[in-house]
Amino acid sequence: MAKHATPMLDQLETGPWPSFVTDIKRQAEFRKKNQEKMNYQIPVDVCEDLLGILELSFKHGRTHWKHGGIVGVFGYGGGVIGRYCDQPEQFPGVAHFHTMRVAQPAGKFYTSSYLRELCDLWDFRGSGITNMHGSTGDIIFLGTTTPQLEEIFFELTHRINQDLGGSGSNLRTPSDCVGQARCEFACYDTQALCHDLTNEYQDELHRPAFPYKFKFKFDGCPNCCVASIARSDMSFIGTWRDDIRVDQKAVAAYIGGELKANAGAHSGRDWGKFDIQKEVIALCPTGCMRYEGGKLEINNRECTRCMHCINVMPRALRIGLERGLSILVGAKAPILDGAQMGTLLVPFISAEPPYSEIKETVIEPVWDWWMEEGKNRERLGELIKRQGFGKLLEVTGFKPDPRMVKEPRSNPYIFWKEEEVEGGWERDINEFRKHHQR
Amino acid sequence: MAFVSSGYNPKEPMKDRITDIGPKHFEEFYPPVIKNNKGKWLYHEILEPGVLVHVSETGDEVYTVRAGGCRLMSIEHIREICEIADKHCNGYLRFTTRNNIEFMVDSKSKVKPLVDDLMSRKQPGGCYKFPVGGTGAGITNIVHTQGWIHCHTPATDASGPVKATMDVLFDDFRTMRLPAHVRVSLACCLNMCGAVHCSDIAILGYHRKPPLLDHEYLDKMCEVPLAIAACPTAAIKPSKVTLPSGVEVKSVAVNNDRCMFCGNCYTMCPSMPLADTEGDGIVIMAGGKVSNRLSAPKFSKVVVAFLPNEAPRWPQTTAVIKKIVEAYAKGANKYERVGEWAERIGWERFFEKCEIEFTHHLIDDFRDPAYFTWRQTTQFKF
């Protein structure tokens, strides 16, 4: 018999998609039975009370978590999201229900033995409920009490050799796409760069020193599988600057129907026979391709590397060999002055370890500027809007480049620096009047 | 529930403290076939919905089976994932950037037993535990947030509407019949944690009532200038209020006509709650994307200004989403994302084809950039 009746949540136990309700009930049952006679460190009925309070929210159409919550571990300024329910008498199991963010390995590859270690720890000292994973990338331990935070952190670091992730006005946990580990499109080792920068900037991640949050994300190519361009203040997107490699025999195999377009991504519907003119040549955003006399030609100088042709014919077309990445900055959600996607700052930069050029010419100059000039709770993207893209160029030392704009300005409200103008701005009205009477 | 120490000594908190060690190194977790072929992959194919093969220049192959995950999961569920990984994949697995689970094997013969095993595992209510799918031109997992499970600022739930929506869209998780992949996301408030602003279809929690003011506590709980600075439309100003007890306190005043219910002041100030049973609900957005394929990345646009919260299954919300998916499936060209389709046919046609009513709420009125969203041309369709 469950502790609380959950008639509304029960309705989410049917249908084909995995039910989180059934899963939480399973965990509740597991704790109640406690076959291994565990000495649970937070209330045994935490999962039942979680369902109980969620049912109440379903009834009220309102959340039942109190505002905020400031908890953590000594030495760090973030990593734990405190949370207290607003009906602690009715649901004592979730009176404290803090979240711990645990730093995930780049690429989110795991072994079962490692995950089991985490599960055993969380079973003992937490609710047994997780998010795999938070939107930023962390493993999320969902629900424990304040006295357990240091205990969990001690076991994580001493026993599992594992740190917390980030929260607050700091560098948040970086994350990446699957990259070269399992993708032929990857233009650099996203896991290596993600891991290197995460370790390089551990201090910035654990101890908030920024005006607001800051995120890194690493995409191996412009397909953006980790959505860096939309979801990170500094977005690293792989690219190449030589020619797309073409295997003409494989092109012929696509045209002949031996190979499936887009690796078979559209096989659930009859789209007709593959038509290279219609599906590739005519769709190319720059019109830089042609297919004549059984040969596919690409005018690579005009290619903007959108990935479409490569995506459609992965066995015939491959990324170039001179590889690196582009850096885009400023993406953020709407609060406060509107959503932004990343804006191109560095068209091409090398992505080879130890990544000194990326750190010294991009990340650190941008942080120096934003940490000094950024207002309280102002994202990098908003500072760029407030002080201008020109200012960003000034502080990083990059030269203005037409690649940095979608189009030149249409208003003529152009600022000049005094030193750019012959004779400067100090002028004498009497000199002027000598030639122009009042 | 007797306290068991980990070895941490609260009397000497900084003693033996280990910090700044970061995440584990990714190479610890690579399956051998991944480790041996990293950076050497030649091409891939989608063999069937949910099953991929990657072929390396060494001739090695890795087969990946992708299964839906509900993100919010218990450790018993994770232990079951581990058991499957041990049984079929030598204990290796990974998670995707959309919270699906990927099991990898190094030969084709191991695929079918794995798929069959995954599809045979069901929950007592009949739900699949590990539905295989989420590849190619279909609908994969919904990137989502905390909702009423853990957050203090939501205007809707996350796990509930996602389960309801994925049930409705389930066939498209298991097949690849659409013109291109359709990314669905949910955020329970307009902080938009996750991907709502850049998805083909997005579900967004929204309030419609200005904040309540807890004058008695406001100055004690809040840094008033921060609450004022938190407002995108400058609806908040400082004020002095006389409580019923006759005591004068510092507080704030909200100009209700300028408030558009974003809730950012509540994020900064606990004395300005705004959640409301009838006021809160869902905004539907459409047409965003993050990839650079063919067209540049796009923001999603608001196409339905309000749908009520209808726990537990949000039928109006899922019905609108289904209508958009079906109209798109019918009308779009191969490779065309929802946003590309809407822009090609014109948004006036989008509303017609999706049978969505266009209301004044959908016309941008936020600062200077709003002008650029109106129509400065005679080009339109009747």
Side-chain angles (χ1 to χ4, degrees), chain B residues 177-246:
Chain B
R177 59 135 192 163
L178 298 175
H181 52 271
V182 172
R183 299 292 189 233
V184 186
S185 304
L186 175 147
C188 42
C189 82
L190 57 47
N191 280 334
M192 292 194 183
C193 299
V196 154
H197 63 306
C198 54
S199 298
D200 295 276
I201 299 175
I203 307 167
L204 172 67
Y206 208 77
H207 305 286
R208 292 183 304 161
K209 296 187 185 183
L212 299 150
L213 298 173
D214 202 351
H215 290 303
E216 190 182 345
Y217 290 89
L218 196 141
D219 189 42
K220 297 186 185 83
M221 303 286 288
C222 311
E223 197 75 55
V224 169
L226 293 185
I228 291 167
C231 183
T233 57
I236 307 173
K237 60 180 183 183
S239 77
K240 284 190 174 152
V241 176
T242 306
L243 299 174
S245 64

Side-chain angles (χ1 to χ4, degrees), chain A residues 55 62 65 77 167 171 234 267 278 293 335 351:
Chain A
E55 177 76 18
R62 299 189 302 269
W65 301 103
S167 69
L171 175 65
M234 195 173 278
S267 59
K278 193 174 142 200
I335 295 289

Side-chain angles (χ1 to χ4, degrees), chain A residues 15-276:
Chain A
W17 189 250
S19 168
F20 69 98
V21 176
T22 308
D23 188 32
I24 298 175
K25 284 186 178 177
R26 172 190 190 178
Q27 193 66 29
E29 199 58 29
F30 175 80
R31 287 178 77 89
K32 194 151 77 179
K33 279 191 189 147
N34 191 11
Q35 281 173 332
E36 291 176 33
K37 304 271 179 277
M38 299 257 303
N39 193 351
Y40 287 124
Q41 295 292 291
I42 76 163
V44 175
D45 56 2
V46 54
C47 296
E48 295 196 75
D49 277 352
L50 180 63
L51 287 168
I53 201 162
L54 185 61
E55 177 76 18
L56 191 65
S57 283
F58 269 50
K59 188 173 148 198
H60 287 158
R62 299 189 302 269
T63 189
H64 278 289
W65 301 103
K66 284 187 191 178
H67 185 282
I70 300 173
V71 291
V73 296
F74 283 113
Y76 288 178
V80 187
I81 316 302
R83 200 65 82 210
Y84 303 92
C85 86
D86 68 5
Q87 298 297 331
E89 296 82 17
Q90 206 181 340
F91 306 102
V94 291
H96 291 222
F97 198 69
H98 311 320
T99 282
M100 298 185 84
R101 292 186 178 161
V102 178
Q104 85 290 359
K108 301 193 185 93
F109 285 89
Y110 293 107
T111 57
S112 55
S113 57
Y114 167 75
L115 286 180
R116 283 203 184 91
E117 273 187 292
L118 289 184
C119 287
D120 291 346
L121 170 60
W122 193 234
D123 198 3
F124 182 47
R125 298 192 179 277
S127 66
I129 303 296
T130 75
N131 286 154
M132 298 296 281
H133 298 71
S135 295
T136 299
D138 304 272
I139 298 165
I140 304 288
F141 280 176
L142 196 64
T144 191
T145 60
T146 308
Q148 287 303 314
L149 298 176
E150 287 288 2
E151 307 299 327
I152 293 164
F153 182 65
F154 191 92
E155 294 209 42
L156 273 177
T157 52
H158 287 76
R159 207 158 52 72
I160 313 185
N161 186 28
Q162 170 67 58
D163 210 333
L164 294 181
S167 69
S169 289
N170 57 8
L171 175 65
R172 300 293 186 83
T173 308
S175 64
D176 60 348
C177 70
V178 74
Q180 293 179 339
R182 206 200 54 208
C183 180
E184 67 274 21
F185 300 157
C187 302
Y188 69 98
D189 187 344
T190 53
Q191 264 108 80
L193 181 56
C194 182
H195 188 78
D196 184 285
L197 294 184
T198 305
N199 281 293
E200 175 87 24
Y201 299 116
Q202 280 287 292
D203 188 31
E204 287 77 2
L205 190 152
H206 292 302
R207 298 165 197 89
F210 291 165
Y212 204 6
K213 64 177 111 173
F214 195 96
K215 298 183 185 183
F216 288 149
K217 278 189 168 54
F218 306 89
D219 275 310
C221 82
N223 281 329
C224 289
C225 289
V226 77
S228 68
I229 199 167
R231 299 170 64 180
S232 60
D233 298 82
M234 195 173 278
S235 155
F236 301 82
I237 304 177
T239 193
W240 67 94
R241 60 177 176 189
D242 55 349
D243 292 350
I244 293 175
R245 291 173 288 165
V246 185
D247 175 346
Q248 298 291 353
K249 266 195 207 155
V251 173
Y254 278 105
I255 292 166
E258 295 98 78
L259 297 177
K260 281 189 208 159
N262 219 118
H266 297 78
S267 59
R269 177 155 146 195
D270 183 7
W271 291 92
K273 192 172 177 294
F274 176 64
D275 179 345
I276 193 168

